[in-house]
Amino acid sequence: MLVLGIETTCDETAAAVVARDREGRGEIRSNVVRSQTLEHAAYGGVVPEIAARAHVEVLDRIIAQAMDEAGVGFDALDGVAAAAGPGLIGGLIVGLTTAKALAIVLERPLVAVNHLEAHALTARLTDAVAFPYCVFLASGGHTQIVAALDVGHYVRIGTTVDDAIGEAFDKTAKLLGLRYPGGPEVEREARRGNAARFELPRPMLGRPEPNFSLSGLKTALRLEALKIAPLADQDVSDLCAGFQQAVVDVIADRVLTGLRAFRERFGAPTALVVAGGVAANQAVREALDRATARVSTNLVVPPPTLCTDNGAMIAWAGAERIARKQTHTLAVAPRARWPLEELNEAVPAVAAVTT
Ligand code: KG4
Ligand code: ZN
């Protein structure tokens, strides 16, 4: 089965062709991502209107390139999938409408993919991970620990009560005068910094429910920065190192608590799967490595290009749905908010989902 996947939820315009065989094994035939980082850089964050316009301008060419690199014609496709939420509504409309047009013309099934489900299912494409498994999703917009019990069946075990982890990296970078997106910048600075110089809090550490809170850490960092302003280069590096170490400590503790909660409710998971842009952080990866080793749990971290937003994960989620005959009608609508757990009740084949 060959599926085209389209991703336009935030600031990446992406399209990919993915194959799925009868045994459920996946293969990426093409995976084209165009990031809008430059368009948004001057604003220190994603501007929804600029994002939507940029998607309109390039999506047809990105799709053509994905088809070209896969070496197949549109006739060869068995379905078309697009991320239909959660995300910025302008971009979602662009991607889903394009997928609908293709589905009509090609007379192929359409799948409106939940972007979070696509992140969660990526490890089945890369590593054929079996259910049930635990997902730690940490991106610019989301921070969740999720039990993936089956395709379309997820239980959220923990989440953030305020900022997402990637968002905290971005805000820290902005505060310290570093570029957007902040994660890679903070990580680079942290390598030259002394993590012990500032005493920063570890919010939620040791709490029984596996939730996160980042805003207190952000405030503490701002106060430390104000105390020593104007900041020299070494100050910035030390603040980044302190911030990253605090986040890493919190992640290790919260994920272990999440894994314990998973075991109590669903038995042993086959793996801890990591998804989202924050998984590109080397210190985060090493901490998760140590934490999962302590509780003898497999750690699966897909390559960075598949952890951040991409079309292959959307195509794959579409293929998993089509294999289960769970496709959408043209009445399906994009949703800015679309919690994973709402998928549990949905009957996708007849879902005329409204926002
Ligand atoms: O998954 P993603 O590409 O997009 C969504 O937000 O959906 O994640 C982007 C987020 C940004 O907040 C970015 O700062 C963060 O992931 N990120 C990182 C690193 N690379 C990207 N955070 C920490 N360390 C990194 N190396
Ligand atoms: Zn994402």
Side-chain angles (χ1 to χ4, degrees), residues 10-231:
C10 191
D11 59 344
E12 261 92 33
T13 314
V17 177
V18 165
R20 184 186 188 277
D21 69 16
R22 278 178 213 290
E23 279 74 49
R25 283 182 304 241
E27 193 195 338
I28 299 174
R29 296 289 169 83
S30 66
N31 191 19
V32 182
V33 181
R34 185 196 172 274
S35 176
Q36 303 173 359
T37 309
L38 287 178
E39 279 98 322
H40 301 288
Y43 306 95
V46 177
V47 183
E49 182 62 18
I50 292 177
R53 282 167 191 268
H55 288 306
V56 173
E57 278 164 19
V58 302
L59 182 56
D60 53 355
R61 273 178 284 144
I62 298 293
I63 291 172
Q65 191 183 336
M67 297 301 295
D68 210 40
E69 288 182 12
V72 294
F74 283 102
D75 274 354
L77 295 176
D78 297 290
V80 182
L88 300 172
I89 197 69
L92 294 174
I93 291 170
V94 174
L96 185 58
T97 307
T98 304
K100 285 181 182 179
L102 284 168
I104 296 171
V105 172
L106 301 171
E107 299 180 336
R108 297 291 192 276
L110 168 77
V111 185
V113 171
N114 179 298
H115 178 90
L116 302 175
E117 174 171 49
H119 273 303
L121 293 177
T122 301
R124 289 170 54 77
L125 165 64
T126 57
D127 295 81
V129 175
F131 294 113
Y133 57 90
C134 186
V135 183
F136 172 50
L137 169 63
S139 69
H142 304 279
T143 297
Q144 303 193 351
I145 300 175
V146 173
L149 305 176
D150 199 348
V151 173
H153 196 184
Y154 309 94
V155 177
R156 199 175 72 186
I157 296 176
T159 186
T160 176
V161 298
D162 40 57
D163 292 349
I165 297 176
E167 185 183 0
F169 270 95
D170 295 335
K171 286 180 174 171
T172 294
K174 196 171 181 178
L175 175 83
L176 298 176
L178 303 171
R179 278 195 309 266
Y180 176 86
E185 298 285 312
V186 171
E187 179 173 22
R188 210 191 45 216
E189 288 292 329
R191 272 191 221 115
R192 308 192 281 116
N194 170 12
R197 176 169 160 202
F198 299 99
E199 214 164 293
L200 295 170
R202 267 74 174 150
M204 296 283 196
L205 208 78
R207 290 273 283 271
E209 74 289 359
N211 286 332
F212 294 80
S213 168
L214 279 306
S215 72
L217 173 59
K218 184 184 64 190
T219 306
L221 183 100
R222 186 162 50 81
L223 295 177
E224 293 292 345
L226 281 175
K227 268 191 238 164
I228 56 164
L231 301 178

